């Protein structure tokens, strides 16, 4: 009797281990950050007040998108960038300069250099060639602490 139970148990374990799901290809591989090359137009923005005990976020897209001038930034594959159209609000990009990632293999920040001034913009996403949006995060500092954070959403033109 014990032998039959043991045989059934072993057969059940063997049958269970043989039922593995098939894993097929998940799609083409895209290089991280390779999709930043192109012309980008500001399509949305969020503002977060970091000075509050519980930070509060507001959608301020209307301020940027209802203007006749919208931010349009062209990022080139020769590590240069230029601002084709300056929109309302603070100027985080300047007029033109060079760009680089903090880590080419796993980018998390975009470093923009105009003359001798470098601006670091954390990336909200790593743009791939198939992505239509890129997100930059910009923190404004007051009294050596971040006071307001802006999330700028750009759409590929």
């Amino acid at each position: 009797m014990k032998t039959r139970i043991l045989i059934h148990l072993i057969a059940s374990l063997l049958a269970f281990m043989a039922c593995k799901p098939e894993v097929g290809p998940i799609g083409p591989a895209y290089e991280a950050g390779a999709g930043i090359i192109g012309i980008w137009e500001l399509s949305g923005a969020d503002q977060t007040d970091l000075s509050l005990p519980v930070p509060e976020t507001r959608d301020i897209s209307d301020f940027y998108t209802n203007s006749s001038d919208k931010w349009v930034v062209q990022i080139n594959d020769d590590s240069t960038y230029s601002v084709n159209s300056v929109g309302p609000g603070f100027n985080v990009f300047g007029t033109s300069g060079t760009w680089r990632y903090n880590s080419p293999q796993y980018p998390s920040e975009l470093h923009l250099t105009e003359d001798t001034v470098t601006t670091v913009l954390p990336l909200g996403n790593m743009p791939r060639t198939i992505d239509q949006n890129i997100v930059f995060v910009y923190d404004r500092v007051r009294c050596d602490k971040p006071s307001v954070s802006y999330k700028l959403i750009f759409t590929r033109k």
Side-chain angles (χ1 to χ4, degrees):
M1 179 77 169
K2 290 183 182 181
T3 309
R4 286 180 68 189
I5 294 175
L6 186 59
I7 291 173
H8 286 296
L9 183 62
I10 291 174
S12 299
L13 285 174
L14 289 174
F16 179 72
M17 291 184 346
C19 296
K20 291 184 181 177
E22 292 184 25
V23 178
I26 59 173
Y30 295 99
E31 183 181 349
I36 198 165
I37 306 304
I39 299 174
W40 300 91
E41 180 178 81
L42 186 64
S43 59
D46 289 336
Q47 179 184 39
T48 303
D49 187 349
L50 302 173
S51 64
L52 297 174
V54 177
E56 182 179 309
T57 300
R58 293 182 185 213
D59 183 0
I60 58 171
S61 299
D62 289 343
F63 175 74
Y64 291 101
T65 58
N66 287 340
S67 172
S68 59
D69 294 326
K70 294 182 184 177
W71 284 99
V72 178
V73 180
Q74 180 172 346
I75 300 178
N76 305 312
D77 59 356
D78 64 352
S79 296
T80 62
Y81 76 94
S82 60
V83 177
N84 296 349
S85 177
V86 178
F90 58 92
N91 187 349
V92 69
F93 297 100
T95 56
S96 64
T98 60
W99 68 272
R100 68 176 177 83
Y101 286 126
N102 61 327
S103 170
Q105 192 172 19
Y106 303 106
S108 63
E109 295 176 343
L110 183 67
H111 294 234
L112 303 174
T113 304
E114 183 180 25
D115 297 326
T116 58
V117 178
T118 299
T119 303
V120 177
L121 294 175
L123 295 171
N125 63 329
M126 289 187 296
R128 301 167 299 167
T129 53
I130 62 168
D131 292 333
Q132 295 303 308
N133 293 318
I134 185 171
V135 177
F136 298 113
V137 179
Y138 179 71
D139 291 338
R140 297 189 85 170
V141 178
R142 184 175 54 179
C143 298
D144 296 329
K145 293 189 333 189
S147 62
V148 178
S149 179
Y150 294 91
K151 182 171 88 171
L152 306 172
I153 303 161
F154 285 80
T155 302
R156 191 182 301 275
K157 273 185 94 173

